[in-house]
Amino acid sequence: MRKSNIRRIYLATLVIGIAYGISISLTSIVLDAEGFTKKAIGGLAAVFASGIVLASLPVGSIVRRISARATLMVAILGYACAVTIFPWPKTFAGVGLVRFVDGACSVGIWVSSETVLLAQSEKSKKAHVTSIYAIAMSTGYVIGPLIAHGIVKRWPPWVAFAASGIITLGSLAIVAGLAKNAHLPPPDEGAGLAKQADDSPNEHSSAQTSTYAPSSWGSVLWRIKTACFATFSYGYFQASVVLFLPLYLMHERGIPEGNTILVTAFFAAGMLLFSNIAGRIGDKVGHLAVMRVLASIGLVMILGFVYLPTFAWMCAAVFVAGATLASLSPLSIALQGLAIEPKDYSRGNSIYNALYAAGMLVGPPISSVIFDAYKGPAMLYHLAALWLVFVIFTIVYANDDPARSKLHMPPNAATTSSESSPA
């Protein structure tokens, strides 16, 4: 059953990723065509992120009390509605409301899916499992922009957003087959966890509230702080680049609008081809150490992007940036999966996604101000600086990596820790 649950998440993620890829590749272009300023576009991105922030913590509790399956199905339905109607509102308030619902439903999808993956995966393969999850999403991000590119050649953009909504609805049939207790570890992976494997939501809630009460929010956050910094940085970077890189290419580098749609596909392709390799390496040598190397390479790509002479070279840089920076996401999910106990997975994923959204919340407004005042290159420089700070943070808190911590433990202690840690 555990493999079936994981596979269903992979397949649903692929389908939803295609829908995301369609909408993300066109969002800033549609808003720009409607006359929204860069600051307004950044503000709308902040509204989207606020939906994620405000929904993140409640979603974690909902998953624990009800089920990942029910939460995921409601979130998918909500996202399908939001993305379908996105092109129609013409005011900031109208678009902002749609974007807020989009963000709230998106985090419902992410927290539910990631909780299932961490709960159902083996301890020694968490980065491998989460990297395939990232591959499924990035494959959708590659396919989606290509579909969007074909649609806008023949029809108006609203057709592409409608297609995104319809594709999203297709994932409902997939997640309907998830087990009701898919957000809980299998009963053979921890003493007493069999009590949690029953299909009754009320019995889940009772068992978890008493014997398996979650740790405090603060203690969970401290244990996963490096993973959270990674996701904050990635949210900040991703939201800024998705919105403003196409505008930089069009208005400052003279790249045709149709070509800028493909930038998302190159970024996702890099993640698609390398994230599983990064995950396997992380499982063997330590997730945080690999994250440090990837972030270092990624920030160099961002700096180099300013000086690259042709669109082909820019696409190559975007591809490498995707292979490095986007691969941080599955590694950081796996890192937090090892740093906390299974009973805290839903809570950890809520905090993790809240920090991701916080990055998305503050990134676009700050980037828009820098873009307006100092143009595109300055915006890219400040994104590279953010990743440099993250690299320094990973050095200061290098022992947050369980793999490194074991290196400093006596052999017997390391063995005991490994055997007693929940999967």
Side-chain angles (χ1 to χ4, degrees), residues 9 18 62 67 105 126 131 148 183 201 221 248 313-314 408 416:
I9 292 295
I18 293 173
I62 292 171
S67 71
C105 292
K126 290 195 183 296
S131 68
H183 59 291
L221 172 59
Y248 166 67
W313 279 105
M314 294 177 193
H408 297 281
T416 303

Side-chain angles (χ1 to χ4, degrees), residues 125-182:
K125 297 181 179 179
K126 290 195 183 296
H128 173 62
V129 169
T130 56
S131 68
I132 297 177
Y133 166 69
I135 287 172
M137 182 66 76
S138 59
T139 300
Y141 280 11
V142 171
I143 297 173
L146 298 178
I147 294 175
H149 186 256
I151 290 176
V152 297
K153 279 187 174 181
R154 301 179 181 180
W155 297 288
W158 70 263
V159 176
F161 284 92
S164 177
I166 293 171
I167 291 171
T168 302
L169 289 176
S171 65
L172 281 174
I174 301 170
V175 301
L178 284 172
K180 291 181 181 179
N181 60 342

